[in-house]
Amino acid sequence: MDLRRKGCLILLLVLVLVVNIVKGDNNVVFNVKHKYGGRGGSVLNELKAHDSRRHGRMLAAVDFQLGGNGQPTDAALYYTKLTIGTPPKDYHVQVDTGSDILWVNCAGCRRCPSKSSLGIDLTLYDLKASASGKTVSCDQDFCTDMFNAPYSDCRVGAPCEYQVTYGDGSSTSGYFVKDYIHFDQVSGNLKTTSMNGSIAFGCSSSQSGELGSSTQAVDGIIGFGQANSSLISQLAVSGKVKKVFAHCLDGSNGGGIFAIGQVVQPKVKSTPLVPNEPHYNVVMKGIEVNGKALDIPTTIFDAGSNRGTIIDSGTTLAYLPNKVYNALMDKLMVKQPDLPTHLVEGSFHCFYYRGKVDDGFPVVTFQFASSLSLTVYPHDYLFQVNDNEWCIGWQDSGMQTKDGKEITLLGDLVLSNKLVLYDLENQSIGWTEYNCSSSIRIRDETSGKDYTIGAHNISSASTCNSRMVFAFFVLIISILCNL
């Protein structure tokens, strides 16, 4: 993504995870917690608003412990705990695959939140209080790389400033600093050791809109996008990791696996990423319902000049162009022609059903380039809001590109219970159905050994249920915290 000093960076497709860095060998672990709570129709509006805001934009392995879940009626967002500075302090940040920079709220920030209903203590980063922290000046290479051009109006020694604007109009602005971020590296099977890296990140000095007023506040956002400014890109340049990461979101128990590193087990089939896109876009070829192709033109999936379908684990639902959405909704109810439906929150089609949804509704399969398919079962795209009341997660995209074409975007609704591998080294993305409460095998390229990384779930303060591990490989992949 292009970030201009006086421009607005629209952070699209934000994967929101809360990560808690846990000790480990050659990998960093983020403990992730879900942001939204509660059940029933009242939370659906919040869900749509969240998704809408998101679209307004060598090695060792690192293990990030995760928590939370992607259920529309539960958390629907993830965050993690990051440890920064000397002496180290903990910061809770949303994890976002659709944006690039890491930023945290800083001392003296105007309109930064001071309280959170998420059960976490908010912390302001104080550059003067960290012995290892220092400002990034506008004449340094990092600042030039951020803007892909010389920094305008730069005076030697002046701070490298940034401004980020989200789709809902909220924004954060400030300046870049550099400090140690402490990670847990993977050192063996389910074992980690401590490491740190000097990372440039945003120090937020002012906020507006939702960022400054939300009661469900965190300390900042960590971006896992493809730009040079992202955390994974900075770690890769320093030789600490490779630009390969994977996540496995446990849709049944919550949490899961999120790791950086090359996954060797399970095997994952992949499809090429559409080049020169800021997000993770792939080419969709068609959709099947119970094995029969929908009668829709494949060109309808193009956004702009063959820009493809966006894969975004930070978005909760799945958004389809109007013609695709209508064709799919018609086929979903073929087995239930007499089942009445009703609208909840104006856009969720819901119904009352007492049987097993997997027996009463069809399987939906998306087909992509390189013969990669993605199967979505009824228990994935249907979610229960009350006793025997189910709602359909497919949504009419309602999002337009500059050339007027609708966007196709697949979120947690279809990505849960699958291991998804982002290989930026080879510009591909792939997935396979998997038990996300189990473990995966990651290769440590330094030693050539394979290590097991387990799932974690920090959504519950007292229990260690399902897990969601975000393992960083480049040092090796890390084990996610199980809470």
Side-chain angles (χ1 to χ4, degrees):
M1 280 187 187
D2 235 356
L3 185 59
R4 295 282 177 185
R5 175 176 178 266
K6 296 183 180 179
C8 292
L9 172 62
I10 297 178
L11 297 180
L12 302 176
L13 316 176
V14 179
L15 167 62
V16 185
L17 307 166
V18 175
V19 182
N20 183 12
I21 296 183
V22 178
K23 290 186 177 180
D25 293 348
N26 297 337
N27 39 83
V28 175
V29 177
F30 289 104
N31 287 326
V32 175
K33 203 167 186 177
H34 210 290
K35 185 176 179 181
Y36 291 127
R39 302 186 68 83
S42 62
V43 79
L44 300 184
N45 227 9
E46 264 187 277
L47 251 185
K48 289 291 293 293
H50 157 61
D51 281 357
S52 178
R53 286 194 294 270
R54 287 181 51 81
H55 307 113
R57 150 243 125 114
M58 33 161 249
L59 304 170
V62 177
D63 186 5
F64 295 100
Q65 295 182 359
L66 302 184
N69 66 74
Q71 290 297 318
T73 52
D74 202 339
L77 286 177
Y78 298 89
Y79 59 89
T80 191
K81 188 167 66 179
L82 202 59
T83 304
I84 304 174
T86 307
K89 292 184 178 181
D90 293 336
Y91 301 85
H92 293 85
V93 293
Q94 299 176 347
V95 178
D96 181 3
T97 57
S99 63
D100 299 307
I101 70 170
L102 161 66
W103 62 265
V104 296
N105 299 325
C106 285
C109 177
R110 291 173 296 168
R111 298 202 67 232
C112 281
S114 58
K115 295 181 180 179
S116 175
S117 62
L118 298 176
I120 59 176
D121 294 326
L122 299 182
T123 303
L124 294 175
Y125 174 79
D126 188 349
L127 178 63
K128 296 179 180 178
S130 175
S132 52
K134 54 187 177 182
T135 58
V136 175
S137 62
C138 61
D139 56 313
Q140 291 181 295
D141 290 342
F142 173 83
C143 197
T144 302
D145 291 343
M146 271 290 300
F147 301 110
N148 293 320
Y151 187 96
S152 62
D153 303 324
C154 178
R155 303 185 312 276
V156 175
C160 179
E161 300 175 353
Y162 78 92
Q163 179 177 344
V164 176
T165 299
Y166 292 83
D168 64 346
S170 62
S171 66
T172 173
S173 61
Y175 55 93
F176 283 100
V177 299
K178 200 168 190 177
D179 206 342
Y180 286 127
I181 301 199
H182 305 268
F183 304 103
D184 287 334
Q185 293 181 306
V186 175
S187 57
N189 290 329
L190 303 180
K191 295 180 180 179
T192 59
T193 57
S194 182
M195 66 161 280
N196 62 58
S198 183
I199 300 296
F201 58 92
C203 188
S204 178
S205 57
S206 179
Q207 292 183 2
S208 68
E210 179 74 12
L211 285 176
S213 61
S214 175
T215 57
Q216 296 174 319
V218 290
D219 294 315
I221 290 178
I222 180 173
F224 276 94
Q226 304 184 59
N228 293 335
S229 56
S230 70
L231 175 68
I232 188 170
S233 293
Q234 291 188 61
L235 288 174
V237 168
S238 66
K240 294 182 181 295
V241 299
K242 278 190 173 179
K243 296 176 73 173
V244 182
F245 66 93
H247 61 66
C248 195
L249 311 181
D250 193 330
S252 301
N253 303 309
I257 300 171
F258 205 135
I260 295 177
Q262 184 60 52
V263 177
V264 295
Q265 185 63 39
K267 299 296 183 182
V268 177
K269 189 174 181 178
S270 63
T271 188
L273 287 171
V274 177
N276 303 317
E277 287 296 310
H279 312 300
Y280 297 108
N281 295 29
V282 293
V283 176
M284 186 187 293
K285 295 294 189 179
I287 301 176
E288 297 176 356
V289 179
N290 267 356
K292 295 183 179 180
L294 282 184
D295 185 16
I296 49 177
T298 57
T299 54
I300 203 168
F301 297 116
D302 299 340
S305 302
N306 297 315
R307 296 304 182 186
T309 296
I310 299 169
I311 303 297
D312 178 27
S313 57
T315 295
T316 305
L317 304 172
Y319 296 82
L320 304 171
N322 180 262
K323 290 183 179 179
V324 179
Y325 171 78
N326 289 333
L328 177 59
M329 293 294 282
D330 288 343
K331 294 296 183 182
L332 291 185
M333 306 305 291
V334 168
K335 289 186 178 181
Q336 310 293 338
D338 300 322
L339 185 66
T341 62
H342 58 277
L343 280 180
V344 174
E345 301 291 354
S347 61
F348 288 89
H349 290 269
C350 304
F351 54 84
Y352 291 96
Y353 189 76
R354 293 183 177 276
K356 293 183 178 180
V357 293
D358 283 339
D359 294 335
F361 297 87
V363 172
V364 177
T365 304
F366 295 90
Q367 300 291 351
F368 298 90
S370 301
S371 301
L372 179 65
S373 62
L374 190 156
T375 301
V376 189
Y377 299 95
H379 65 262
D380 294 322
Y381 64 77
L382 298 175
F383 56 93
Q384 197 167 10
V385 292
N386 289 302
D387 290 343
N388 301 317
E389 184 181 15
W390 295 82
C391 290
I392 301 171
W394 308 114
Q395 294 290 301
D396 191 333
S397 71
M399 296 177 289
Q400 300 290 321
T401 59
K402 291 181 179 180
D403 58 4
K405 290 191 176 182
E406 294 172 294
I407 290 175
T408 305
L409 189 154
L410 305 181
D412 290 348
L413 183 81
V414 304
L415 299 178
S416 295
N417 306 313
K418 297 171 182 65
L419 178 71
V420 183
L421 177 64
Y422 303 76
D423 187 345
L424 305 187
E425 302 281 337
N426 295 303
Q427 284 295 291
S428 66
I429 185 172
W431 48 76
T432 186
E433 291 185 29
Y434 202 65
N435 177 4
C436 296
S437 63
S438 58
S439 62
I440 62 175
R441 298 282 291 177
I442 301 293
R443 176 154 297 155
D444 176 1
E445 294 193 0
T446 301
S447 65
K449 295 181 179 179
D450 299 341
Y451 293 118
T452 298
I453 293 183
H456 303 275
N457 183 2
I458 62 169
S459 295
S460 221
S462 59
T463 60
C464 240
N465 291 342
S466 22
R467 349 356 165 151
M468 174 177 178
V469 179
F470 188 164
F472 247 88
F473 188 69
V474 187
L475 292 171
I476 310 183
I477 293 190
S478 321
I479 304 173
L480 295 184
C481 245
N482 207 355
L483 286 180

